[in-house]
Amino acid sequence: MGLDNVAVHWPRTGRFYDPVAPAEFVDFADLADAPDVAAPTAALAGHVAKTGTVRATAYTELVDLLLGLEGVLYATEAAAEDEDPVIDPDGCAWIAGGLERFVEGHRPHGEVVTFDTVGAVLHTALSGGRLADQQLRWLDGRMDALLDESGDAPQWSFARSELAVLSRFYRRCADRGFAVYADY
C-alpha cells in the first residue's frame, strides 16, 4: 500500500475531510511537461497535478531526518492529539520551509540527493550553530540509526528538483489554508 499525503480542506466539516480539487494543483503539470526535467520530478509533479496527492512513502525517512522528528509525513503527532492523521496548514508551512532550506542548501552538492549529500548539507547547516557539537552528535546518531544491519546507508537518490516539487506541494497547502491527510 504505502503512504499518500492528500490535500484536504481545513478545518473539516462533518465526519470527514473533503479532498481538495486537483484543479488547485493544475500548474504542477507545467513542471511535469517542462523540457529537461528529471523523470522522478516529472512523475511527482504530474501525479500532484492530477490528484492533489503526494505518494509520500519514499520521502518519509528523508523528511524525518531533515526535520528532526519521527513520522512527520504520517502526521503521527496530530494522530495522537486529534485522532486524525492530519498536518494542519501551519504544519505544512513548517515542512515546506524545512524542505526549501534543504533544497537551497543542497545546490553546491549538485542535482542528485543521496544519503551522503544529505549528511554534508546537514553538517554544514548545523556546524555554525550555538550548540553545534551537541547538534552534530545528534545528527550523527540519527544518520547511524538509518544504516542497515550491514552498516550500509539507505540508497536514496532523489533529484533536487523532485524535492523542490515536494516542498511546493506543502507550501501550496500552507498558502491556501489546506491541510494534508495522511492516508495509509
Side-chain angles (χ1 to χ4, degrees):
M1 175 93 184
L3 170 66
D4 286 341
N5 275 190
V6 181
V8 295
H9 289 283
W10 181 259
R12 80 173 174 199
T13 54
R15 284 184 55 196
F16 301 104
Y17 290 92
D18 294 323
V20 171
E24 295 285 348
F25 298 93
V26 72
D27 61 310
F28 279 65
D30 295 339
L31 294 169
D33 296 334
D36 300 327
V37 67
T41 304
L44 177 60
H47 185 73
V48 170
K50 291 177 188 166
T51 65
T53 300
V54 166
R55 291 196 170 122
T57 304
Y59 309 107
T60 58
E61 284 182 335
L62 174 63
V63 170
D64 286 355
L65 179 61
L66 294 178
L67 300 178
L69 296 174
E70 296 290 326
V72 172
L73 300 181
Y74 283 93
T76 53
E77 289 297 317
E81 294 171 10
D82 306 328
E83 298 182 20
D84 284 331
V86 175
I87 303 165
D88 67 22
D90 289 339
C92 289
W94 176 69
I95 292 168
L99 287 169
E100 290 161 353
R101 285 187 298 280
F102 173 76
V103 167
E104 185 56 35
H106 196 279
R107 186 178 301 277
H109 299 276
E111 292 303 310
V112 179
V113 176
T114 66
F115 184 76
D116 291 335
T117 63
V118 169
V121 170
L122 293 177
H123 273 92
T124 299
L126 294 176
S127 64
R130 203 181 72 163
L131 300 172
D133 289 340
Q134 179 183 2
Q135 290 176 333
L136 289 170
R137 281 193 306 275
W138 171 86
L139 174 61
D140 290 339
R142 288 288 301 255
M143 293 191 73
D144 286 345
L146 291 170
L147 302 176
D148 68 15
E149 42 297 321
S150 302
D152 294 325
Q155 297 301 306
W156 295 340
S157 182
F158 301 103
R160 195 171 71 90
S161 58
E162 176 185 4
L163 298 179
V165 170
L166 184 66
S167 68
R168 187 173 168 190
F169 171 79
Y170 293 100
R171 178 61 63 201
R172 173 71 49 88
C173 290
D175 290 350
R176 297 202 179 162
F178 303 145
V180 170
Y181 183 83
D183 185 21
Y184 47 97

